[in-house]
Each structure stands twice: as C-alpha cells, then as structure tokens.
Amino acid sequence: MVRTGSTGSTGRAGVTAGPTLAVVARAAGVSVPTASKVVNGREDVAPDTRRRVTQALDRLGYVRRPRFDGAREPRRVDLVVDSLESSGAGAVLHGAEEAAHDAGLEIVVSVALAPGRSGSPERGWLDRPVARGSSGLLFNPAGLGAPQYAWLEKHRIPFVMIDPVLEPPPGVVSVGATNWQGGVTATEHLLSLGHERIAVVADLRHTMSGDARVAGHGSALALAGVPQRAGYVRHAGSGEASARHRTHELLDLPEPPTAVFACSDRMALGVYEALAERGLRVPDDMSVIGFGDLPEARWLAPPLTTVRQPLSEMAATALRLLVRMMDGHRPESTRTELSTRLVERASTAPPRG
C-alpha cells in the first residue's frame, strides 16, 4: 500500500517516490487539472502558467509516470459512492460510465464510508484519486463534510455532487431531480383517485430531497383544498425497517390513512411489509405510491406506482458538467434538476367505499 504524505509518498520498500501532483499544483498556485495538462504535454495552458508548473515539478522532484507505446493516456475521473449494493448505485454507475465513454474518459469507482457508519472514512481517503492522476471527482453522495469540502477547495480539483443528501456549500455544483414537483405529482395522483386521507412516510428531516418531496405533497393538498391531518407525516430513515415502523404508527391512528406516499421505493417496501403484517392488502385496503422507480418497484406484488427519478441521466449530466469544469468552464448555475414523472402501476386505486 502506498501512503501519501504532505510532500511525497513512500512505497513498500521505503523508496521515496516524490510529491503527488496535488502538492505540485499547490506549490505552483494552479489547479490539479492544470498541472496535469502540463505534465501530459497539453497545449491549452498559458506560457506563464506552464513555466510556474514546470519550475515546481523540477524543484519538488516530481516523477512523471512513463507512457506506454508513446500513446497519450486518457484523462481519468473518479466516481465516489457510499455503497455499490443498491440498484440506485447501479443506475448512477451506468449513466456515468456511458457519459465517460462518450467523452473518451477513464472512470474509476471507489466506495467511501459515510460518517456515522462502522469504519468511518480513513484520514486522507481523498488523496488517492489525486495520487492516481484523476482530473475530477463525482460524488453520490459520499457524505461529504466540512473537512472534505475544504480539502477539495484547497486542492482546486473540480467536482460535482449527484443527488446530495444535504445542502452543499454555496458554489458547489450539483445535479438532482425535481423533488418538489415529484411530491406534487405523487399527491395529485392519489387525490385524483379520490383519496383525501393521505399520509407521508418521509426521509429524515433536513435532507434536500426529503424536505422537497414533503413540501410538494403539502402544496398539492393545499391547492386541492384538502387539509393536512395531524400525525400524517412520519419521518423515518431511508430504509424499509424504519418505514415499516412508521407505517404501523399510522395504522394505529384513530382514523388511519387510505393512502401512503412513501418518499422512496425502499420505504415503500417497508410500507408493504407493515400492511401485510396487519392482514391488509395493497391497493384494496390502502394505496401506496413510491419515489425513484428502481427495479424493485416492478418486482413488488402488486407492482408499485412510483415517481421516476432519472438517476442514470443525472449521473450522465453530472459527468458532462464535470468535463466542462475540467476544461476551465464554470456552469451558469450551480444546481441542475432533471424532470420526474409518474409511473402508474397496480398499487394505487380509489379508496374502498
């Protein structure tokens, strides 16, 4: 394993391999992608900038990696995710990989443990993409905190967030979906079927997508003149276990809902489980609508009506934005949102009676 220090790196045999490209870029007062352009002989660098980088390379003893057969190495970007186990991560990877292929980029996928999970992120985990020559980073969502954002700012490496859980700092570029409109769409669908007792099983408070979906739900109710009942919005974690627990709470209310808007397809699975445990059927006894349109939505019995979140398209859009940033172009807006749409299946129906 190579351990990166502040001025150089040392291999297994203890031989100093020289500074990382990030150290060179910092010494020259340029971004890592700009230093990479100089190292790789790119022409689109100002003469004064090239001179500063070259001097830093020589002064610090940077070791240029050999090229094979004289061919130019493709630029490399890193996609950092919290987990590769979910189908959502698969959709993100698919979109990013296709866009990288079209752009002639090499993409490297790595998993970073989010804060609070067992085995918190090791110190210096962000050094690895820079050490292997990455020109930019995509995060989905990889639980970045203030130290990571400060590191990225310090090293001037371009990055884009895909569907961030928490509001990123000002100036950070991100790609998401129209979550507020998706909440409106889900609720309007249930209202059109005749439901008025509509509950929400939502994500934790103060998450970008969760808060927006709940707000969209409330707006749709208000526009229809339907009052929002006390206790009908239940906040849970993003998994099915907490959603199952919150659904039992809803069923124990004096007047239970006739429909539930689950703010993710995984939460909808927990709603299904709770209803089955009470001997209730979807949609005969309760309609359920989800959010995401992951493959699991089609596998449920009955198949889940849901709001499609275009994860693959979001990842591809983020990759294309990152490429422009790597080439020195700043996006006109720091936030890009792609449209959601209703996918109607068999889990919603008019309320019984």
Side-chain angles (χ1 to χ4, degrees):
M1 178 178 179
V2 177
R3 181 172 296 172
T4 304
S6 60
T7 58
S9 59
T10 305
R12 291 188 183 91
V15 179
T16 300
T20 66
L21 195 58
V23 172
V24 173
R26 188 161 61 249
V30 301
S31 67
V32 173
T34 298
S36 178
K37 288 180 181 181
V38 175
V39 169
N40 290 306
R42 293 272 296 274
E43 300 297 330
D44 52 337
V45 180
D48 182 64
T49 301
R50 184 182 301 279
R51 176 183 57 78
R52 296 203 319 271
V53 173
T54 301
Q55 289 175 347
L57 289 168
D58 294 339
R59 183 172 69 253
L60 296 172
Y62 179 81
V63 180
R64 292 169 171 82
R65 291 179 299 167
R67 294 180 182 170
F68 299 95
D69 301 324
R72 184 181 297 276
E73 295 181 14
R75 287 194 293 177
R76 180 181 296 116
V77 298
D78 269 62
L79 170 62
V80 185
V81 299
D82 284 338
S83 170
L84 290 171
E85 297 175 357
S86 70
S87 54
V92 167
L93 176 57
H94 174 73
E97 192 279 329
E98 282 200 340
H101 180 270
D102 292 342
L105 298 174
E106 180 181 278
I107 189 165
V108 178
V109 181
S110 56
V111 177
L113 294 173
R117 288 174 54 181
S118 100
S120 58
E122 60 185 281
R123 185 176 180 180
W125 66 273
L126 275 174
D127 287 322
R128 291 196 293 270
V130 174
R132 57 176 167 257
S134 286
S135 300
L137 297 168
L138 295 174
F139 293 99
N140 175 241
L144 295 187
Q148 288 78 38
Y149 283 119
W151 188 98
L152 291 163
E153 177 67 24
K154 178 181 179 181
H155 289 80
R156 302 186 185 182
I157 185 165
F159 69 99
V160 178
M161 306 293 294
I162 304 170
D163 195 26
V165 174
L166 302 177
E167 184 83 34
V172 171
V173 177
S174 66
V175 178
T178 52
N179 290 297
W180 181 86
Q181 184 58 52
V184 170
T185 299
T187 304
E188 286 182 340
H189 171 66
L190 296 172
L191 289 167
S192 71
L193 294 173
H195 293 279
E196 293 189 353
R197 288 156 40 199
I198 304 171
V200 180
V201 177
D203 206 337
L204 297 174
R205 288 182 174 86
H206 310 305
T207 61
M208 283 187 70
S209 59
D211 288 354
R213 293 168 194 178
V214 172
H217 163 76
S219 295
L221 290 181
L223 186 61
V226 175
Q228 190 158 26
R229 296 173 181 246
Y232 267 36
V233 177
R234 300 281 168 153
H235 290 273
S238 58
E240 53 263 33
S242 54
R244 170 180 162 273
H245 180 68
R246 295 293 178 257
T247 304
H248 278 296
E249 292 176 351
L250 290 168
L251 294 172
D252 289 335
L253 292 174
E255 192 171 29
T258 61
V260 171
F261 168 31
C263 285
S264 77
D265 290 348
R266 285 189 63 195
M267 292 183 188
L269 178 58
V271 176
Y272 270 52
E273 291 174 353
L275 294 173
E277 290 167 355
R278 295 293 186 99
L280 301 174
R281 295 174 299 171
V282 178
D284 298 348
D285 299 304
M286 185 174 292
S287 288
V288 181
I289 187 169
F291 201 110
D293 195 30
L294 298 178
E296 298 93 296
R298 299 189 296 273
W299 304 338
L300 289 173
L304 179 67
T305 296
T306 189
V307 176
R308 182 177 185 271
Q309 182 183 24
L311 285 173
S312 290
E313 294 90 333
M314 288 158 56
T317 299
L319 191 284
R320 289 190 286 268
L321 285 171
L322 180 62
V323 170
R324 287 186 54 79
M325 292 169 65
M326 287 159 48
D327 290 337
H329 302 288
R330 187 69 183 172
E332 293 181 3
S333 173
T334 58
R335 176 69 176 177
T336 300
E337 292 190 343
L338 303 189
S339 297
T340 53
R341 64 178 176 85
L342 179 69
V343 179
E344 191 171 354
R345 297 192 178 98
S347 67
T348 52
R352 187 167 58 181

